[in-house]
Amino acid sequence: MNILIFNCGSSSQSFKVYSIVKESPPKVVASGKAKNVATKTKAEPQIDWQINGQKGSKQADLSSHRLAAIENLRLLQEHGVTVDAVGHRFVHGGEFFTSTALITSETTEKLKACFHLAPIHNPNSYSVIDVCREMLPGVPQYAVFDTAFHASLSPEAFRYALPLDLAARHGLRKYGFHGLSYTYVSKRAAVLLGKPLDQVKLVMCHLGTGGSSVCAFANGHSVETSMGYSPLAGLVMSTRSGDIDAEVVLELLRSGMQAEEIDEMLNNRSGLIGLSGVSSNLEEVIAEGEKGSEDCRVAAGVYANRLKLYLGGYYWMLNGADAIVFTDSVGTQSWKLREMVCGGVESLGIRLDHEKNRLTSAERESFIEAEGSTARILVIPTDEESVILDEVIQALNQ
């Protein structure tokens, strides 16, 4: 059987089709990634794909995730790839979902009820589910949730300092995100470090072209993470503000802005695009800063400073870590960012090997710390699709 995995990010949409044969490891027969989906950047939207040994790139209208899904499914159909089941990354399951769910009429209503919790992600993922219903009628679909990884958070970590009855009534708590990526990366880091998963301490940085977060990991599970009730909290991101003083929102409300306007501004017009006025892409912002744009130079600095704050806090919380891990597109590709946040902290015992950092490939797992560093520094390409696949296979077997 063939299982199609859709991984819908805020500005990208990846897919993989795995051929599943008994007593053989899953084999990828098709894969692709739609880039610059529904986002503002100088780069053109396109789909890079590999199917049955062939590969290519295709420019298309990727102004929405629905359109991207249609193009991706058309590619599979044009190359004769059949699909027997579909797994979807669904970012926020709220209080409804803490494990993988078969998508039914009852499930869809609960998924819709979670839209407001991750307004950039959840509606987009749901639109892909709708496209699959239309183009793959009768094929079972499953939702796999990023928030499930952080179900282990303690009350000290997930509670906000709000009145208990109010928080309980509205479900106001930290959920955490990027759980699929952290599941994969933590397992790979443990293997590379030669330690059992429940004995490693990691500070993991999932830095994407859309969303970014940091996770403190110990005793085999998540103990703290930078995103919160929604994916808006924490780090500065491509178009999201990350942490801001709550009084800022109240002041904007008092000034006459509507809640929906503020929501749209904080999620879609803030972060790097808001700070730089040029691009939501970190590499483009850094490049413009190096050419002399003061706004871009400061934007990259704000991005790096926020990441440093979380790295330092989580390293302290864990009483040190076996490794600091960088993953996802920005985390694996931007040697300049890694140098900005890991350079100049030798008094803490963290020593970056600048040559290894610059020369490492985004496609391979690498250690980039210098000799004598108290913590290893790892670059690990993530593979969220393989985690979704495992969840779908388990659900099908049940």
Side-chain angles (χ1 to χ4, degrees):
M1 70 182 305
N2 284 345
I3 299 178
L4 167 62
I5 305 299
F6 265 117
N7 184 344
C8 198
S10 56
S11 60
S12 64
Q13 186 183 110
S14 301
F15 72 87
K16 285 183 181 177
V17 178
Y18 294 86
S19 173
I20 308 300
V21 180
K22 283 185 178 181
E23 299 180 3
S24 297
K27 179 183 177 183
V28 177
V29 295
S31 65
K33 184 171 185 176
K35 301 176 180 178
N36 305 309
V37 179
T39 192
K40 183 180 179 181
T41 177
K42 293 181 179 179
E44 289 294 324
Q46 68 179 47
I47 301 172
D48 296 331
W49 56 268
Q50 296 185 53
I51 302 175
N52 291 327
Q54 299 180 338
K55 62 181 179 179
S57 294
K58 177 182 181 181
Q59 291 192 345
D61 180 2
L62 304 181
S63 55
S64 72
H65 283 271
R66 176 180 175 82
L67 290 172
I70 291 172
E71 293 292 340
N72 284 330
L73 286 175
R74 282 176 178 166
L75 272 173
L76 295 177
Q77 291 174 346
E78 289 167 5
H79 289 82
V81 178
T82 58
V83 174
D84 302 296
V86 186
H88 298 271
R89 175 194 179 207
F90 209 89
V91 165
H92 204 320
E95 296 183 298
F96 293 113
F97 303 100
T98 57
S99 61
T100 296
L102 175 67
I103 296 173
T104 64
S105 57
E106 181 182 358
T107 308
T108 55
E109 293 308 308
K110 293 179 179 178
L111 292 176
K112 290 178 183 177
C114 296
F115 278 10
H116 70 286
L117 297 172
I120 290 181
H121 295 85
N122 282 2
N124 290 334
S125 294
Y126 189 84
S127 72
V128 179
I129 292 171
D130 258 350
V131 169
C132 289
R133 275 206 196 99
E134 296 165 10
M135 298 181 68
L136 301 170
V139 173
Q141 299 188 65
Y142 295 86
V144 185
F145 301 91
D146 267 306
T147 45
F149 180 79
H150 302 288
S152 58
L153 291 177
S154 68
E156 291 83 357
F158 73 68
R159 281 186 182 167
Y160 291 125
L162 297 170
L164 285 172
D165 58 340
L166 180 73
R169 186 160 66 249
H170 296 283
L172 302 177
R173 52 156 291 173
K174 177 179 286 191
Y175 288 98
F177 302 92
H178 294 136
L180 301 177
S181 178
Y182 290 136
T183 297
Y184 178 82
V185 169
S186 59
K187 290 179 179 177
R188 288 303 307 154
V191 170
L192 293 168
L193 293 166
K195 284 191 169 186
L197 185 64
D198 61 359
Q199 293 180 26
V200 294
K201 294 193 294 183
L202 306 169
V203 181
M204 297 182 284
C205 307
H206 176 104
L207 308 176
T209 53
S212 299
S213 68
V214 185
C215 174
F217 181 90
N219 301 316
H221 56 79
S222 170
V223 297
E224 227 341 329
T225 190
S226 59
M227 285 182 168
Y229 173 71
S230 79
L232 182 59
L235 302 179
V236 174
M237 297 169 244
S238 297
T239 64
R240 279 172 264 174
S241 65
D243 293 339
I244 60 169
D245 187 337
E247 190 67 31
V248 171
V249 177
L250 297 178
E251 181 59 29
L252 293 174
L253 285 168
R254 287 191 287 263
S255 74
M257 288 184 72
Q258 299 300 307
E260 292 76 13
E261 293 179 88
I262 298 172
D263 184 311
E264 193 276 334
M265 181 270 294
L266 292 175
N267 277 293
N268 299 317
R269 294 188 288 114
S270 298
L272 286 174
I273 187 66
L275 283 165
S276 72
V278 171
S279 175
S280 61
N281 183 292
L282 179 64
E283 290 302 298
E284 292 176 4
V285 171
I286 291 174
E288 291 299 318
E290 291 172 344
K291 292 176 184 177
S293 167
E294 181 65 8
D295 287 339
C296 287
R297 185 193 66 78
V298 171
V302 172
Y303 185 104
N305 280 357
R306 184 70 57 80
L307 179 54
K308 286 181 183 179
L309 285 172
Y310 275 97
L311 278 172
Y314 288 0
Y315 196 74
W316 182 282
M317 173 175 284
L318 294 176
N319 190 24
D322 295 298
I324 297 167
V325 187
F326 292 90
T327 192
D328 208 37
S329 51
V330 174
T332 59
Q333 294 171 16
S334 182
W335 67 265
K336 292 181 180 179
L337 175 67
R338 295 193 299 265
E339 193 165 88
M340 290 168 75
V341 298
C342 292
V345 289
E346 289 81 7
S347 62
L348 299 177
I350 308 297
R351 300 181 183 278
L352 179 71
D353 186 311
H354 296 280
E355 184 176 5
K356 286 181 182 177
N357 179 46
R358 293 186 181 211
L359 295 178
T360 191
S361 167
E363 306 301 321
R364 70 169 187 266
E365 299 169 337
S366 305
F367 287 99
I368 58 171
E369 79 283 351
E371 187 176 350
S373 181
T374 53
R376 310 298 300 269
I377 306 175
L378 267 167
V379 174
I380 301 179
T382 194
D383 189 354
E384 295 172 330
E385 291 83 9
S386 69
V387 177
I388 301 171
L389 175 69
D390 290 342
E391 288 289 316
V392 172
I393 291 174
Q394 185 177 343
L396 288 168
N397 289 336
Q398 291 174 348

